[in-house]
Amino acid sequence: MAAVADGLRNRNVRLPPEVNRILFVRNLPYKITAEEMYDIFGKYGPVRQIRLGNAADTRGKAYVVYEDIFDAKNACDHLSGFNVQNRYLVVLYYQASKAFAVVDRKKVREEIDDMKSKYGVDSEKHDEKKK
């Protein structure tokens, strides 16, 4: 595996823009440990950090940070669809713009609701007036 990554490094390969050192992993078994994650992902290169989700909404998800972008690409290519404890992993590149888009939408929704309550606008009554 490392030989493939070394071969990619030696050639001036242009990687797609979404490729980065951080992988987002979904559909993990809830009982998986950090050591098991290091065993699985460490085969493709040195892992700097693994963050396992432990809250109710983040269980079964993890972030894996590699030292090198080519190791991350190799792991993403080979581990997407990999079977771990009868679950198929979904391995994607971390994209900050998508991760924070959900937070931004919630914030905008809260601001709209605040403005509605501040100015006494009720969307249901407003829709009825239009009819």
Side-chain angles (χ1 to χ4, degrees):
M1 310 283 172
V4 173
D6 288 338
L8 289 174
R9 279 187 207 104
N10 293 337
R11 291 183 280 153
N12 288 330
V13 175
R14 181 140 178 113
L15 296 173
E18 71 271 5
V19 176
N20 62 47
R21 297 181 315 120
I22 305 171
L23 301 178
F24 175 62
V25 185
R26 293 187 313 191
N27 204 31
L28 286 166
Y30 288 171
K31 304 274 185 193
I32 197 163
T33 64
E35 290 79 25
E36 292 170 326
M37 291 285 293
Y38 276 103
D39 288 343
I40 294 168
F41 286 89
K43 293 177 183 174
Y44 298 95
V47 175
R48 178 175 287 187
Q49 184 180 58
I50 292 181
R51 294 286 194 148
L52 279 169
N54 56 6
D57 60 335
T58 60
R59 289 188 68 177
K61 299 175 186 166
Y63 292 96
V64 180
V65 182
Y66 277 93
E67 294 285 337
D68 185 58
I69 193 169
F70 292 102
D71 295 335
K73 181 181 183 332
N74 196 17
C76 186
D77 292 344
H78 288 94
L79 290 176
S80 191
F82 185 72
N83 191 337
V84 177
Q85 298 176 10
N86 293 324
R87 298 187 70 124
Y88 293 98
L89 299 183
V90 177
V91 183
L92 306 164
Y93 295 107
Y94 172 72
Q95 295 176 351
S97 60
K98 288 187 178 182
F100 292 114
V102 174
V103 174
D104 292 342
R105 275 187 251 141
K106 287 180 184 177
K107 186 177 178 183
V108 168
R109 172 55 60 196
E110 289 173 359
E111 289 174 359
I112 290 171
D113 291 341
D114 288 343
M115 293 296 280
K116 283 180 181 179
S117 64
K118 180 179 177 181
Y119 293 106
V121 176
D122 187 6
S123 60
E124 293 171 7
K125 290 181 184 177
H126 185 69
D127 290 340
E128 290 175 7
K129 288 180 184 178
K130 284 185 176 180
K131 293 179 183 178

